[in-house]
Amino acid sequence: MFKIEDTFTERFNVTDEIYHGFITLFKDQNPLHTDATFAADKGFKAEVMHGNILNGFLSYFIGEGLPTKNVIIHSQEIQYKNPVYLNDSLEFKAKVVGFYESVNVVEFKFDFKNSEAKVVAKGKIQIGLL
């Protein structure tokens, strides 16, 4: 089902619905995320989106973007490299870097790039096949 170098891509848009939904659900109203003046004073062009929105996109990829639904996330690591802003369109790419059939484990390296082809986050994720 999976082999080394298999590559998967998705496009995600950071919409107003996602942004406000995150705030509504998790109550994270840190001014870096909610106050344009505060964010500008810290050197950003606008409010910075919550990094964990990207974790939601990762969850979608594992749960919906793979050729099987028989999966569970074992671990994930993400490094935030550049800010993500409201209405950004992100290209997500994940590549299989390890497949261990004897224990039903697949490892991916991934990155998110914005419309300027700048990496905004990267990391790795390990899943189990159920």
Side-chain angles (χ1 to χ4, degrees), residues 34-99:
T34 59
D35 183 326
T37 302
F38 181 91
D41 287 347
K42 303 302 178 200
F44 298 98
K45 67 180 185 180
E47 299 94 326
V48 176
M49 296 297 97
H50 301 80
N52 279 317
I53 288 173
L54 300 183
N55 285 325
F57 294 151
L58 279 173
S59 181
Y60 172 85
F61 163 68
I62 296 301
E64 301 295 329
L66 294 177
T68 179
K69 302 290 184 227
N70 296 321
V71 297
I72 188 168
I73 295 174
H74 286 172
S75 65
Q76 67 186 47
E77 174 187 311
I78 189 167
Q79 299 169 357
Y80 304 101
K81 299 296 192 178
N82 287 290
V84 174
Y85 298 104
L86 185 62
N87 299 315
D88 274 358
S89 180
L90 304 175
E91 179 185 71
F92 171 81
K93 185 184 289 186
K95 181 167 54 169
V96 175
V97 295
F99 177 53

Side-chain angles (χ1 to χ4, degrees), residues 106-126:
V106 183
E107 291 180 338
F108 298 89
K109 283 193 175 179
F110 66 85
D111 64 38
F112 290 91
K113 291 181 181 175
N114 64 18
S115 59
E116 299 168 351
K118 187 180 281 190
V119 173
V120 296
K122 68 178 188 172
K124 55 187 169 181
I125 191 165
Q126 182 184 79

